[in-house]
Amino acid sequence: MRGLPARRIASTALCAALLVAAAGPAAVADPAREHTRAASRAPLPDADTLLAQVKSLSDLGGVLTPVTDLLNSALKADNGRLSADEATKLGTAVKDAIAKVTPTAPTTPVTPTTPVTPTAPALPTAPVPAGTLPALTRSGGDTVAAPADVIGDALAALQKAIDELIKAVTSGDAAEVATAVTNSVTSLVNTVAATLLGGKLPAPSLPSLPTAGLSS
């Protein structure tokens, strides 16, 4: 009877040895496999640029939805009239969406200036016509027009149009609502165009689309 426990011990040891032998190759690190895994985790080329493009589209979608919700509600309402509570709720959703994507100007820290010696007064210059962008001077001396905040301006115009629409849908004047809806749709289209042109997105590639005003 003493032989039985010995055989069991030998059998257990054999099984353990077989398990260790089977797991051995998997347990040992494979440099080639580790290199492949590390390469798969590496970022894509130009990932930051692509992420910025995707974000601009996501921001645009975040504005489109609440604006179209408001427009649909106004167009489906009797004479385009909404209750004050509903108009406020829909208008607040649009305002919050616009606020989330409105670009903010970077703040420049104020540094103390060194007093300068007074000089002779400069000759008066011709006034700059209204609507003309101020000129910027490059290091080489060339002047270029100051870039306009196209997306920010479009969002501000959209918010103004929405404010007018909110006022119209609570007034009960159907003609006023129709005008405000038209202006809001136009402002929304301008926001889409500003995002596509000013958001550094690739130009559309459909051959049937007009290319005027679009840049790659």
Side-chain angles (χ1 to χ4, degrees):
M1 298 295 294
R2 286 184 177 181
L4 184 58
R7 286 197 299 270
R8 288 180 178 176
I9 293 174
S11 176
T12 302
L14 178 60
C15 291
L18 291 175
L19 290 174
V20 171
V28 177
D30 184 354
R33 181 178 299 177
E34 291 299 323
H35 177 74
T36 302
R37 290 179 180 176
S40 66
R41 292 193 296 269
L44 294 173
D46 298 328
D48 291 341
T49 300
L50 295 173
L51 285 172
Q53 293 175 354
V54 173
K55 182 181 183 303
S56 66
L57 292 175
S58 176
D59 291 343
L60 180 60
V63 173
L64 284 173
T65 299
V67 172
T68 54
D69 287 345
L70 172 58
L71 294 173
N72 283 327
S73 297
L75 292 171
K76 293 178 180 179
D78 187 16
N79 287 326
R81 184 168 188 172
L82 300 176
S83 66
D85 290 341
E86 186 177 5
T88 299
K89 180 180 178 181
L90 293 169
T92 300
V94 175
K95 185 176 182 179
D96 291 344
I98 292 177
K100 289 180 181 179
V101 300
T102 299
T104 57
T107 56
T108 304
V110 179
T111 56
T113 58
T114 304
V116 296
T117 304
T119 58
L123 294 176
T125 58
V128 179
T132 302
L133 294 175
L136 298 179
T137 303
R138 291 175 176 168
S139 58
D142 298 334
T143 58
V144 294
D149 184 4
V150 179
I151 298 178
D153 291 345
L155 289 170
L158 176 61
Q159 181 61 67
K160 182 179 179 181
I162 293 301
D163 291 341
E164 294 175 354
L165 177 58
I166 295 298
K167 185 186 300 183
V169 296
T170 55
S171 68
D173 188 337
E176 185 179 350
V177 172
T179 300
V181 167
T182 301
N183 293 338
S184 297
V185 171
T186 301
S187 295
L188 186 58
V189 172
N190 290 339
T191 301
V192 173
T195 301
L196 295 177
L197 297 177
K200 297 181 180 179
L201 292 168
S205 60
L206 291 177
S208 59
L209 288 178
T211 58
L214 298 179
S215 58
S216 57

